Amino acid sequence: MPRGRSAGLNDPQLLEAALEGLELQRQRLDEQIRQVRGLMGGGGRGGRRGPQGGGSTASAESSEQAPRRRTLSAAARRRIAAAQRKRWAEYRKTAGGAAKTTGRRRRRGRRGRAAASQG
């Protein structure tokens, strides 16, 4: 009598062999990723969140050193902030009156919201 599809999925030997093959593939991929990162210059551009690719394991992460985060000086932060303000000013100038704000809206407190909802 022919077996169904699910009968082979419960075979422990088959599952063990599949797991072994997948682990070998993962090891090969991890090695290739390390080689590419090495070519990119020590880790590439991981950004603040680290390297993308949620399939990494704890053992692979512990063998590699975490990239050091670079800190900016206060003067550098001020220069960046000034440049950003300048870009926004230019954007608002070209956008015309549509981007102008009338000022900050005053947030209502708990009593003000209650009065507005009843009135």
Side-chain angles (χ1 to χ4, degrees):
M1 186 165 179
R3 287 200 250 179
R5 279 188 154 191
S6 63
L9 294 179
N10 292 331
D11 184 18
Q13 291 176 340
L14 178 65
L15 292 174
E16 188 67 33
L19 184 62
E20 209 171 294
L22 290 171
E23 286 176 349
L24 282 172
Q25 284 181 347
R26 182 176 61 187
Q27 288 173 359
R28 281 190 223 123
L29 286 173
D30 286 342
E31 180 60 33
Q32 289 175 349
I33 288 170
R34 275 193 288 277
Q35 289 175 356
V36 170
R37 284 190 180 145
L39 292 173
M40 290 172 59
R45 266 185 82 167
R48 287 188 173 189
R49 294 184 181 184
Q52 298 295 321
S56 61
T57 62
S59 63
E61 299 230 353
S62 64
S63 66
E64 298 177 13
Q65 286 185 341
R68 289 184 51 193
R69 290 179 62 178
R70 294 174 18 178
T71 56
L72 293 174
S73 66
R77 285 194 298 271
R78 280 194 296 271
R79 286 193 304 269
I80 292 171
Q84 187 65 37
R85 282 192 296 271
K86 184 178 176 182
R87 284 191 290 269
W88 272 106
E90 184 66 30
Y91 172 77
R92 287 187 190 107
K93 189 188 309 182
T94 59
K100 287 187 179 179
T101 60
T102 59
R104 290 188 174 185
R105 283 183 24 184
R106 186 171 167 224
R107 291 184 62 181
R108 291 184 183 171
R110 185 173 36 180
R111 292 181 184 167
R113 285 193 300 265
S117 65
Q118 291 177 1

